[in-house]
Amino acid sequence: MSGPHTEQQSEGVFVDDEPLCIGAVLSHDQNRALLTEWLDATYDVLTPATEGVTFEDVAERADLLLLDEGAYDRHADWVAAYRQHEESLFCPVLLLVSNDDLRTAADIWSSVDDVVSMPVQKAVLHARIRGLLSRRGLSRELAASEDRFRTLFETSPDPAIVVDADGIVADSNAAFRDLVGVTGECHGRPLDAFDAFDPASVEEMRASRDGDRDESTVIPVQTATERRYVECNGNDLDIEPGHRILILRDVTERIHHERELQRQVDRLDEFAGVLAHEMRNPLGIACGWLDQAERTGDPEAFERVETAHERMTEMIAELLQLARQGSVIGERTSVPLAGLVADSWANVTTADATLHVDSALTDQTVSGDPARIQEVFANLFRNAVEHGGPAVSVEVGVTDDGRGVYVADDGPGLAGVDRDQLFESGYTTADHGTGFGLAIVKQIADAHGWTVSATDADGGGARFELRGVLDGDDPSVERA
């Protein structure tokens, strides 16, 4: 029989709409008849002496065994087997004795749960039986609770483990084994035995066992293919004292989103600081020359004011461009690289500068946001003209290994340049440079997953290399 004790009526005691069963194995015929009569109105009574009822039937169906001394002596092995046949349930045995000395026998209590002296009153017998069956009912509820826990544990989409007080894994579900890349059993392994967790993560998981720690802990997990983040929550297990269940909920997307928001906040802070700092100089110049222009009417003073205003307009445009870049890019498509380079050159004031596009770019394509990519090349071209002079020569081609694109010029090169700061906002060595063009290049490159670096060109000028730009055979990229 299975299921919790759900109903009790005056006619009988039931589990799942079936009466509880008493297995009466009594050697004394008169006692068997009397006790069966006493119990039959409340319980389903089975006795091996009844026609067609076997000891196997009694062991299978009985919720409690009622024996006297003679039956106990003859069937001790069978009684021991009955007590063990339902591992998760309490299988009680009540022994009727005519000699009180038997109560004190040490070996009796290893296979008997209660002893009643004969003769016994009907009410006393019923009370003793109800007490034992109540314990059996509690064991049913506990077994049902364990079954529910096991089902939830195994089918949970969140990785979960049960650990003991020493941080040794006592159980794990399939989601956890998938997360850490373990195909076999995790039982008995300490947390620091899993390559997926670094020592700091193990300490955080162990710390989550503290009962006064309510907040969850976010830890990194290195899977076979990527680095993910999980939120670790721990709870004590009532059904297994001294053990704790740890639930690892994947929060990778949330962490990435939070970090992106923080990067955006940092860019806005940077934008505000640079804007306030860089505007002071041209604004001060404009104010000074405007005062002189008003006093003297000198055309040159008005030209100086106009030049300062133009510089502020240029700086504001580049700062806004800088603030809007980063990981915020539009739809990624694949476009011919040579055409994009030509369009970028056309949008830059290049004076007498010349552009040479290597024929190796003819069949190359690049994937990303076309407008942002065009800004990359436009800023590199503008940088070459700004530092190399109005007659600078610029070349765009494919790197020797065929895995990148370079923009090189024949200007003065990188002499006197702090290469560690070259891509930082506001850094420039040009008299009229804003220091934002290369920062924009780096931010757009980062947003596309590319890398950008600066080195010396073969002819002594500057050379900028973009890696990860050229298309491979990526089927996820939409072709334009």
Side-chain angles (χ1 to χ4, degrees):
M1 307 214 131
S2 62
H5 185 159
T6 58
E7 183 179 0
Q8 182 169 342
Q9 301 176 351
S10 59
E11 305 82 52
V13 180
F14 295 80
V15 171
D16 291 342
D17 298 324
E18 294 184 13
L20 290 176
C21 181
I22 304 295
V25 186
L26 304 169
S27 59
H28 194 285
D29 292 341
Q30 184 177 355
N31 284 344
R32 182 171 59 250
L34 177 61
L35 296 179
T36 299
E37 180 184 347
W38 283 2
L39 300 173
D40 198 48
T42 307
Y43 305 99
D44 183 7
V45 180
L46 284 182
T47 64
T50 304
E51 184 177 353
V53 177
T54 66
F55 277 91
E56 289 74 17
D57 294 333
V58 174
E60 180 65 27
R61 294 183 52 193
D63 293 290
L64 177 145
L65 285 187
L66 179 64
L67 299 97
D68 58 17
E69 296 169 74
Y72 175 79
D73 290 337
R74 285 195 297 272
H75 306 295
D77 291 341
W78 175 75
V79 172
Y82 162 78
R83 289 172 62 83
Q84 300 298 322
H85 86 288
E86 292 184 286
E87 182 178 353
S88 61
L89 293 182
F90 171 60
C91 299
V93 175
L94 175 60
L95 181 62
L96 303 174
V97 299
S98 57
N99 182 355
D100 284 344
D101 292 341
L102 197 58
R103 289 174 177 271
T104 60
D107 58 342
I108 284 292
W109 297 102
S110 63
S111 55
V112 170
D113 299 291
D114 199 1
V115 176
V116 175
S117 297
M118 294 291 289
V120 61
Q121 294 181 358
K122 181 179 179 180
V124 172
L125 179 63
H126 273 280
R128 295 293 185 87
I129 290 175
R130 282 197 301 271
L132 292 174
L133 290 177
S134 177
R135 289 174 58 188
R136 180 171 172 82
L138 291 175
S139 75
R140 287 182 186 277
E141 293 177 1
L142 180 59
S145 176
E146 290 177 346
D147 288 343
R148 288 192 295 271
F149 169 77
R150 170 57 54 187
T151 299
L152 291 172
F153 182 78
E154 289 293 345
T155 60
S156 171
D158 292 326
I161 53 174
V162 175
V163 296
D164 64 17
D166 297 319
I168 306 299
V169 176
D171 206 348
S172 64
N173 67 359
F176 175 82
R177 295 189 291 273
D178 289 343
L179 176 71
V180 299
V182 175
T183 57
E185 183 55 59
C186 296
H187 181 81
R189 298 179 63 177
L191 290 173
D192 55 13
F194 297 99
D195 294 336
F197 306 121
D198 59 31
S201 297
V202 171
E203 289 301 315
E204 290 288 353
M205 295 171 73
R206 294 287 301 275
S208 71
R209 291 180 48 82
D210 295 343
D212 58 351
R213 182 170 178 162
D214 295 330
E215 71 274 12
S216 58
T217 302
V218 175
I219 61 172
V221 179
Q222 184 61 52
T223 71
T225 58
E226 61 182 332
R227 188 174 182 83
R228 302 197 67 80
Y229 295 89
V230 296
E231 189 177 71
C232 180
N233 292 280
N235 288 286
D236 292 326
L237 282 181
D238 294 335
I239 60 176
E240 290 190 72
H243 289 68
R244 191 166 176 80
I245 183 171
L246 302 179
I247 306 294
L248 308 180
R249 180 161 298 168
D250 194 316
V251 292
T252 305
E253 297 306 318
R254 190 194 81 191
I255 295 298
H256 287 170
H257 180 64
E258 290 175 351
R259 290 181 176 178
E260 176 55 30
L261 288 178
Q262 186 58 53
R263 282 193 291 268
Q264 292 180 17
V265 170
D266 292 342
R267 282 198 301 273
L268 289 175
D269 286 345
E270 178 185 37
F271 168 72
V274 171
L275 181 63
H277 179 270
E278 297 297 329
M279 286 295 105
R280 287 194 182 98
N281 187 46
L283 184 60
I285 293 174
C287 290
W289 283 106
L290 180 61
D291 180 63
Q292 181 172 339
E294 290 175 341
R295 286 187 291 101
T296 65
D298 185 356
E300 182 181 354
F302 284 106
E303 289 178 3
R304 294 291 185 93
V305 172
E306 183 179 3
T307 299
H309 285 164
E310 289 175 352
R311 176 159 174 75
M312 284 189 287
T313 300
E314 179 185 359
M315 293 179 67
I316 290 172
E318 291 196 2
L319 280 167
L320 287 173
Q321 187 185 56
L322 180 68
R324 289 168 180 163
Q325 300 314 313
S327 64
V328 183
I329 58 177
E331 182 179 356
R332 297 170 70 103
T333 59
S334 180
V335 295
L337 184 55
L340 188 146
V341 168
D343 291 342
S344 299
W345 181 262
N347 289 327
V348 176
T349 302
T350 55
D352 296 326
T354 58
L355 173 69
H356 173 69
V357 179
D358 194 318
S359 60
L361 260 68
T362 302
D363 297 325
Q364 297 288 349
T365 58
V366 58
S367 297
D369 183 337
R372 301 285 83 80
I373 300 173
Q374 187 170 312
E375 289 174 9
V376 168
F377 286 100
N379 276 290
L380 290 175
F381 295 153
R382 189 177 294 112
N383 181 78
V385 173
E386 188 174 86
H387 291 82
V392 70
S393 177
V394 180
E395 179 181 9
V396 181
V398 177
T399 57
D400 292 339
D401 61 7
R403 303 177 64 182
V405 177
Y406 68 84
V407 176
D409 62 58
D410 62 354
L414 301 177
V417 172
D418 186 339
R419 300 191 186 192
D420 291 336
Q421 298 186 53
L422 187 58
F423 295 98
E424 297 292 330
S425 298
Y427 177 78
T428 183
T429 58
D431 294 337
H432 301 289
T434 62
F436 303 129
L438 294 181
I440 293 170
V441 169
K442 185 177 188 308
Q443 286 199 356
I444 298 176
D446 289 345
H448 283 84
W450 309 335
T451 59
V452 58
S453 60
T455 186
D456 296 317
D458 293 339
R463 174 181 169 120
F464 293 88
E465 294 185 356
L466 292 162
R467 298 283 176 169
V469 175
L470 299 179
D471 280 346
D473 296 324
D474 186 353
S476 67
V477 176
E478 178 186 346
R479 303 298 177 189

